[in-house]
Amino acid sequence: MSVHIEAATGEIAESVLLPGDPLRAKYIAETFLENAVCYNNVRGMLGFTGTYKGNRVSIQGTGMGMPSASIYIHELINDYGAKNLVRIGTCGAIQQDVHLRDVLVAQAAATDSAMIRNQFPGFDFPQIGNFELIKTAYEIGTGKGLELRVGNVLSSDVFYSENKEIVSKLGRHGVMAVEMETAALYYLTTKFNVKGLSLLTVSDHILTGEQTTAHERQTTFNDMIEVALETVAKS
Ligand SMILES: O=P(O)(O)O[C@H]1O[C@H](CO)[C@@H](O)[C@H]1O
Ligand SMILES: O=c1cc[nH]c(=O)[nH]1
């Protein structure tokens, strides 16, 4: 067991899907996995291991924000040997042509967090996803007829941002959407030389004010979940 995960060694698969919401982890385990077993209930941050089409996979909730997600990602890699870590999250669109329920592939992440900047004073260290996972996810998604959007996202420390003008400006500079964990995932997977990918479904639109409900967020992002499960099955 690690500090925040009570699984025994070997109970977590090399491929782990990472929703922020632990109830989304439960929903995915119950809906998509066979023989799913819950391996973690510490702090209610549920984690499950099962099989998807014969491939062993785990689903671990990470909580909201980079400090929380970093704890789980660090322990999954260093205490449990995770090799493929795929975030499956929600985000708010900050471009007019990105729409509610679109599935985004985060190629890279900008961030307002000091977490990474503090590791390299005076440098901007780029947060990028693993090319192989990005390519596989893109091919699987487009093969299913999804119009996946690939590009930059913003990982913010602040949900209720007062920097609306800067967020809009990032949108005008090609950033598709805002969420709160991808930069940390890409930093840690790069640092520890494992593979990281972030897939995001647009749950609300910052420019138009459109929103999905919490229930829809929990249950209706199946396109993204299937792309993630099939991507790690090939990795
Ligand atoms: O739906 P999840 O994966 O939690 O992701 C998004 O939702 C939360 C904010 O509501 C943040 O964690 C943000 O990144
Ligand atoms: O972090 C997030 C997630 C969804 N929508 C937002 O506006 N921000």
Side-chain angles (χ1 to χ4, degrees):
M1 81 185 272
S2 61
V3 177
H4 301 90
I5 303 175
E6 61 189 337
T9 304
E11 283 187 328
I12 302 181
E14 283 196 353
S15 294
V16 188
L17 269 51
L18 303 166
D21 182 354
L23 291 181
R24 196 179 312 142
K26 184 167 186 277
Y27 166 76
I28 296 166
E30 289 172 350
T31 311
F32 292 92
L33 300 192
E34 289 175 0
N35 304 314
V37 173
C38 180
Y39 63 74
N40 192 54
N41 207 357
V42 176
R43 291 176 181 250
M45 201 55 74
L46 300 171
F48 301 84
T49 298
T51 58
Y52 177 75
K53 296 184 179 171
N55 298 289
R56 196 160 178 262
V57 63
S58 296
I59 324 280
Q60 174 63 57
T62 64
M64 291 184 277
M66 288 181 266
S68 178
S70 297
I71 288 172
Y72 294 100
I73 293 164
H74 183 105
E75 292 180 17
L76 287 167
I77 296 170
N78 292 292
D79 296 307
Y80 293 99
K83 302 281 186 232
N84 304 303
L85 295 97
V86 178
R87 168 161 160 70
I88 38 173
T90 60
C91 63
I94 56 173
Q95 284 187 358
Q96 288 292 0
D97 65 344
V98 175
H99 304 109
L100 219 56
R101 295 179 182 286
D102 278 358
V103 178
L104 313 183
V105 180
Q107 188 174 12
T111 185
D112 57 14
S113 169
M115 206 173 114
I116 299 152
R117 193 184 314 140
N118 285 347
Q119 304 300 319
F120 304 98
F123 292 80
D124 292 324
F125 184 80
Q127 313 313 318
I128 59 167
N130 175 265
F131 176 74
E132 196 182 315
L133 290 183
I134 290 173
K135 182 169 176 286
T136 304
Y138 185 78
E139 287 170 355
I140 288 169
T142 52
K144 285 175 172 295
L146 299 175
E147 290 187 23
L148 295 183
R149 306 285 307 261
V150 185
N152 211 344
V153 300
L154 169 64
S155 300
S156 179
D157 277 343
V158 187
F159 184 83
Y160 296 107
S161 178
E162 293 178 23
N163 288 324
K164 296 205 183 320
E165 188 40 49
I166 296 180
V167 172
S168 300
K169 186 174 176 182
L170 285 165
R172 295 194 296 276
H173 283 67
V175 176
M176 301 182 292
V178 58
E179 53 83 69
M180 301 179 70
E181 293 85 11
T182 297
L185 172 67
Y186 286 179
Y187 171 63
L188 291 171
T189 49
T190 303
K191 174 179 175 180
F192 293 120
N193 195 25
V194 295
K195 296 181 199 167
L197 169 68
S198 181
L199 302 175
L200 303 165
T201 301
V202 178
S203 59
D204 51 273
H205 206 296
I206 308 286
L207 305 181
T208 65
E210 296 166 278
Q211 286 185 333
T212 51
T213 64
H215 183 67
E216 282 178 308
R217 259 169 250 187
Q218 187 187 323
T219 59
T220 63
F221 298 145
N222 293 355
D223 286 340
M224 168 179 69
I225 293 163
E226 283 177 4
V227 171
L229 286 166
E230 286 173 27
T231 297
V232 296
K234 282 198 165 183
S235 303

